[in-house]
Amino acid sequence: MKNGVVIAATLLLAACSSNVEETNYYQLPTPQQNTVQRQSGSADRLLWVEQVSVPDYLAGNGVVYQTSDVKYAIGTQNLWASPLDQQLRTTLVSNLSQQLPGWVVASTPLGNEQDTLNVTVTGFHGRYDGRVIVSGEWLLNHQGQLIKRPFHIEMTQQQDGYDAMVKVLGEAWSREAGDIARELNRLP
């Protein structure tokens, strides 16, 4: 009889321990690199992506999900694989590099004759209604002229779960990079 109780208790403990949620780590998808052929002697324009900053609620490790119009949940089991501001900056540099032929885009200073881009992200999260939000503003210093633009992108998440949410957040961020690239291509 005692053996039966011990076996039952062991099975119960094993069942309880298998229900513990595992920790998931997320990285924003990076665009496929296209090889761009540059002609020797071409005068490249230089862009330094100096900073992408995020507010405190996005700066932690947890992926953020908005649960109501005023309440946010910061993940404890769903975490960013590296700091979000670094991921945003890296993917922005990569996207702009692809979308701005004739430009050299970097996350380090390139010299005295460079344009400088700073981005402040105020929203980068999923929402209770199945949408993802990417919002903020960017500031470009172009030859001493300051150009400032707000952005707000909402996209619908087609599937449930954090995997799908992170993919759609990545798509929205890539879309914003495309908007920035179009603005930069209009510069004299």
Side-chain angles (χ1 to χ4, degrees):
M1 182 75 167
K2 286 185 181 181
N3 284 344
V5 172
V6 170
I7 292 172
T10 303
L11 290 174
L12 180 62
L13 285 174
C16 289
S17 67
S18 67
N19 288 337
V20 174
E21 282 190 46
E22 66 181 56
T23 301
N24 299 298
Y25 294 93
Y26 295 95
Q27 190 78 22
L28 290 175
T30 54
Q32 297 295 330
Q33 294 293 341
N34 294 332
T35 305
V36 177
Q37 297 285 335
R38 295 195 192 281
Q39 296 176 347
S40 60
S42 67
D44 289 321
R45 297 178 75 174
L46 306 176
L47 177 65
W48 174 28
V49 179
E50 182 177 20
Q51 181 178 7
V52 176
S53 61
V54 296
D56 288 346
Y57 85 101
L58 293 173
N61 291 341
V63 177
V64 175
Y65 182 76
Q66 185 177 356
T67 59
S68 76
D69 58 340
V70 296
K71 186 176 175 186
Y72 293 80
I74 299 174
T76 56
Q77 304 299 141
N78 297 291
L79 307 174
W80 292 113
S82 61
L84 181 59
D85 59 341
Q86 290 177 12
Q87 289 190 52
L88 292 169
R89 188 175 183 206
T90 300
T91 55
L92 181 60
V93 167
S94 182
N95 276 306
L96 290 175
S97 294
Q98 285 188 7
Q99 297 176 32
L100 292 169
W103 288 70
V104 174
V105 182
S107 58
T108 57
L110 298 165
N112 295 331
E113 301 295 321
Q114 66 193 4
D115 290 343
T116 304
L117 178 67
N118 284 284
V119 183
T120 301
V121 174
T122 56
F124 198 83
H125 57 275
R127 198 167 67 185
Y128 58 93
D129 61 359
R131 308 211 21 106
V132 300
I133 309 299
V134 174
S135 60
E137 65 183 19
W138 55 265
L139 178 67
L140 176 73
N141 184 340
H142 171 66
Q143 300 172 351
Q145 174 189 7
L146 296 178
I147 302 166
K148 183 178 179 178
R149 298 282 187 273
F151 59 90
H152 183 88
I153 298 172
E154 290 188 29
M155 293 179 67
T156 301
Q157 186 176 325
Q158 299 298 324
Q159 298 174 346
D160 291 337
Y162 279 89
D163 287 14
M165 183 177 77
V166 169
K167 287 178 185 175
V168 177
L169 283 167
E171 288 174 35
W173 186 238
S174 180
R175 181 183 290 179
E176 181 53 32
D179 291 345
I180 293 171
R182 279 186 287 286
E183 288 278 339
L184 292 175
N185 277 323
R186 291 187 192 129
L187 296 174

